[in-house]
Every structure is written in structure tokens, then in C-alpha cells.
Amino acid sequence: MDKRVKPEGFREETLVIHADEEVAEDGSVAPAIYYSATFRARDAAEFREMASTSRHPRYYTRYGNPVHERVAKVVAGLEGTETAIMTGSGMGAIATTILALVQAGDHVIAQTRHYMSTAKIMDEMLPKFGVDVTLVEQTDVGAFERAIRPNTRLIMLESPANPTMVVTDIAAVTELAKPRGIIVVADNTFATPINQRPHELGVDVVVHSATKYLGGHHDLTAGVICTSEALADRIWQTHISLGSVLSPMDAWLLLRGLRTLPVRMERINANALALARFLEEQPQIERVHYPGLPSHPQHELAKRQMRGFGGMIALEIKGGYEETARFVSALNLPLNAVSLGGVESLVVHTAAMWGGVMTEEQMKTAGIQPNFVRFSVGLEHVEDLKADLWQALQKV
Ligand SMILES: *Cc1c(COP(=O)(O)O)cnc(C)c1O
């Protein structure tokens, strides 16, 4: 069977364009934007029903909004989950999910490598609320197993992980968690549901920074929590208290961006693979980290659990901070900006993010290599990107 065929019978390209039609009430082809904070009831009985319904899309926009409902339908369809909750940012989705599912006395297992703000939740926020956290090496399934305690409630995964492109064996971890009743949450931002579907590998909650590939145009911030109806009801209770609300305009832009996600990812996968191969051959490059390359230590695992390898490449320039800074500055096409996943290629010299506050020696101790570059491959023509990378490498 074509792996992309969804239960509804639609393939991804069709689903992103039509999955939300069933929640649309009017005849407009383009979705309407409901710029309303609140929604009126026709009578007291209807008001009572609106007020007591979980995740009602027409009650109060912090609780839900018709545009949220449409976007959620599309993303849940792509991830293969029953439903989804929209949030104002990726961190809104991650923080809300974790805070909803754990309490004082619980234990959480997470990876040593996570998106920086997720790592902060593990290092600083959870311990503050009396939740114990064990960080494990994500390449070692045994490390997850050894970390499990009787009070382990949640395992947090991120694969490929930001920014090193290290891969976690998602199915192996969920097999450990399932019989023990441990909830597994996975950040699928880097892969996107086009390249990897964690729920099919046993993950209970799939979270995204929709700011990145799902939106795809570097013009909005949004997050999404994809899960079962039962878990969504639980998480939503915390969501309405934390208030990470997605604006109706950003929800609308996200819906528009999602229409082209499958075609964007197809091209981005191809561009990134071609560029990773090209970069690996250049004499000024020490190492390329890309799960689609046979040189990636987990290439076989990546091939098993991913259908494409995404648009994120990490590279190490031969030399130190200065050589790497010269390379990044010499690039004309990739813009030197944080974030990722949009139509424009972006690069970040990771050490420069910390350069103002740390010495080169301190960064080495903290594992921030001075020659590390994170590259988000966009939709420019691959030959133009190649030429630009080549000329910048000559200036190293
Ligand atoms: C950007 C990002 C986040 C945070 O998302 P925001 O939308 O910026 O809040 C979380 N996880 C990963 C992997 C990301 O790249």
C-alpha cells in the first residue's frame, strides 16, 4: 500500500488542500479569518453547551477558533492522530504538553540534546516543580531503558535533534514505554510529517514548531500538539490556563502554508541531499552531518524511520571561529538568521550565538564547536545555492 494514503483515503498532497473542508461552514473557497475574540450563542441553552464543551471552536479564542479547527484538521491528518491543539508557538506546544502531563513526584526522561528552550524546561523548570529529570544519550536505546523508574511518567524525544542531526530510534523507545504506561512525546519539527510520522512509530503526542516547515515562509509563529481525543482533553485544560494562543491571522497563514507542504518538502529534501553530498566533497569542510548521507553514523536507522531526510544540514568548517565566521559572512543567498524551514535558505554560526558571552575555550567545554554551521536549505535553485556555497568556501 502507498504509505502516504491516509485513513480517509487521501494522499498527503490532497489532504493538505481538502482535509479542512468538512469543518468549513460557508461557501468560500479560501478560508475565512475569524478575527473575533468571542462568539455569541443564540440562546441560554446553546451558551451552556458552548461553555461546557471541551475544545469548542466557537466560544472564546483562547479556547479555540474556527481557523484553529481547520488548521488542526490538516495537521492531525498529516500526523495520523485523532486531533490536534493549536498554540501560539512551538514552545507553547512543548511547555503546555509537558506541564499538562506531569506533576510533583514524577520522573521524566529526555535527551541530552534538545532544542535549547526544551532543554531549559528539563534543566530548570521541571526540577523547580519537583519533577525529576534524567537526560540520556539519544543514540543508546539501552540508556532510555536504564533510566526508567517506577514513577517515570513521560519520555521526551526529538529526532533529528537540533542542531547536530543526531537520530533517535523512535519505535524502540516507544516499545519500552508502552507496557509501562509511559507517555512518549516527540518533537517532529525537523522532519515534518512528510518525512517522518512518529505516531505510527508509537508516539502518543507529536509536537511541532509550526513556525518552521509547516508554515514554511518565515512569517508566523505557531505550534501544534497532535494526539488522541483523550489526551487532547487533558492537555487542553492546561492550555487554556497557560494561554499560548495562536492568533487567527497566523492560523490562517499557517493553513495557507500547509497547502504546499508536501511539494515544498519534496524539493527541500532533494536540494538538501544534493548540497550535503556537494559539501562533503569540498576540501574546506571537516564534516557534514546529514542523516541522508551514508557517512551519518545512523544512516540505516534514518532510512528505516524517515521517508526523506529534510532540509537541515550541520557542517563543520576546517579551522576555528574566524574561518567559520568568514564563510558565513561570504554567503550571499542563505541569510544569516535564526529559525529554519522556510522558503529562504538560512544559516547560523552556532558559536556566534554565544560569542558575546563565552570565550572560545568556554564554548569548547560547553560542547559548542567554534566551526559549526547550521544550514536550513530553502527553495532557491540548487545550482545557485551550490555556486554560492562554493564561492564562500574559497574565502575561508
Ligand atoms: C524552533 C523550534 C522550537 C520552538 O518553536 P517556536 O515556534 O520558536 O516556539 C522547538 N523545537 C524545535 C526543534 C525547533 O526548531
Side-chain angles (χ1 to χ4, degrees):
M1 193 183 90
D2 186 337
K3 273 171 83 183
R4 297 172 309 149
V5 178
K6 304 305 301 167
E8 300 89 339
F10 291 145
R11 289 163 180 81
E12 282 160 348
E13 292 81 351
T14 315
L15 192 148
V16 293
I17 295 167
H18 294 288
D20 55 316
E21 269 171 15
E22 70 185 68
V23 300
E25 284 191 341
D26 61 22
S28 63
V29 171
I33 308 182
Y34 290 78
Y35 239 110
S36 188
T38 187
F39 297 84
R40 73 173 210 226
R42 284 180 202 91
D43 54 32
E46 192 187 22
F47 183 83
R48 188 190 153 92
E49 188 251 310
M50 284 158 64
S52 57
T53 303
S54 176
R55 295 176 282 133
H56 198 294
R58 281 173 185 78
Y59 174 61
Y60 184 60
T61 287
R62 177 157 47 78
Y63 288 50
N65 179 283
V67 199
H68 294 176
E69 193 188 24
R70 292 187 71 150
V71 186
K73 185 89 190 158
V74 173
V75 185
L78 288 172
E79 287 291 359
T81 58
E82 286 175 0
T83 191
I85 296 173
M86 304 313 302
T87 57
S89 70
M91 283 321 301
I94 294 166
T96 301
T97 299
I98 294 169
L99 292 177
L101 299 176
V102 300
Q103 61 186 44
D106 286 349
H107 174 244
V108 168
I109 300 170
Q111 303 174 170
T112 50
R113 281 166 293 241
H114 272 294
Y115 181 74
M116 201 199 302
S117 302
T118 305
K120 263 191 183 290
I121 292 180
M122 300 301 166
D123 292 340
E124 295 169 19
M125 193 184 286
L126 291 185
K128 209 169 69 176
F129 294 126
V131 176
D132 280 336
V133 178
T134 306
L135 302 181
V136 300
E137 168 53 45
Q138 74 193 91
T139 58
D140 180 6
V141 175
F144 284 94
E145 188 163 22
R146 290 190 296 279
I148 294 173
R149 301 181 193 166
N151 61 337
T152 304
R153 205 64 63 212
L154 186 146
I155 299 177
M156 180 74 205
L157 302 180
E158 183 179 326
S159 180
N162 184 12
T164 47
M165 305 308 293
V166 178
V167 176
T168 310
D169 189 336
I170 298 172
V173 174
T174 62
E175 267 166 40
L176 294 172
K178 276 266 137 63
R180 297 169 169 95
I182 301 167
I183 294 174
V184 181
V185 180
D187 183 336
N188 203 29
T189 301
F190 267 37
T192 81
I194 305 304
N195 288 327
Q196 171 173 283
R197 277 214 288 274
H199 181 62
E200 287 174 1
L201 302 169
V203 167
D204 303 286
V205 188
V206 182
V207 288
H208 276 278
S209 169
T211 311
K212 314 295 170 55
Y213 289 104
L214 302 189
H217 295 77
H218 298 136
D219 55 6
L220 61 88
T221 64
V224 59
I225 303 163
C226 303
T227 189
S228 63
E229 297 284 354
L231 276 175
D233 281 340
R234 268 177 73 185
I235 295 167
W236 182 77
Q237 291 297 334
T238 298
H239 170 58
I240 57 175
S241 293
L242 291 182
S244 175
V245 185
L246 177 59
S247 90
M249 183 68 209
D250 279 7
W252 188 89
L253 284 169
L254 176 56
L255 188 51
R256 182 180 172 126
L258 279 164
R259 306 291 194 210
T260 55
L261 179 70
V263 289
R264 279 189 284 113
M265 291 318 295
E266 197 176 306
R267 179 61 64 86
I268 283 174
N269 287 342
N271 278 1
L273 185 59
L275 293 175
R277 285 180 179 146
F278 166 78
L279 286 164
E280 203 168 40
E281 286 167 5
Q282 303 310 306
Q284 302 88 349
I285 301 277
E286 183 78 45
R287 217 177 134 196
V288 179
H289 306 256
Y290 185 69
L293 291 177
S295 62
H296 189 285
Q298 298 162 289
H299 180 56
E300 289 308 315
L301 168 61
K303 274 203 293 195
R304 263 206 318 281
Q305 71 182 15
M306 301 179 81
R307 289 182 297 158
F309 304 105
M312 298 305 296
I313 302 174
L315 44 116
E316 293 173 44
I317 301 290
K318 266 188 198 144
Y321 189 94
E322 286 311 319
E323 287 81 0
T324 310
R326 274 206 295 278
F327 168 70
V328 169
S329 299
L331 289 166
N332 294 316
L333 281 178
L335 309 174
N336 190 183
V338 291
S339 201
L340 57 106
V343 294
E344 301 90 355
S345 292
L346 301 181
V347 284
V348 173
H349 182 190
T350 41
M353 284 167 77
W354 299 95
V357 284
M358 287 186 190
T359 65
E360 197 157 319
E361 207 45 50
Q362 281 173 324
M363 286 193 278
K364 226 170 240 160
T365 324
I368 303 160
Q369 296 187 70
N371 65 336
F372 206 86
V373 177
R374 194 184 74 180
F375 180 16
S376 168
V377 178
L379 284 177
E380 299 90 346
H381 196 285
V382 68
E383 295 304 327
D384 291 336
L385 286 170
K386 232 182 242 179
D388 191 37
L389 289 164
W390 188 86
Q391 67 77 28
L393 284 170
Q394 309 318 306
K395 304 200 169 114
V396 167

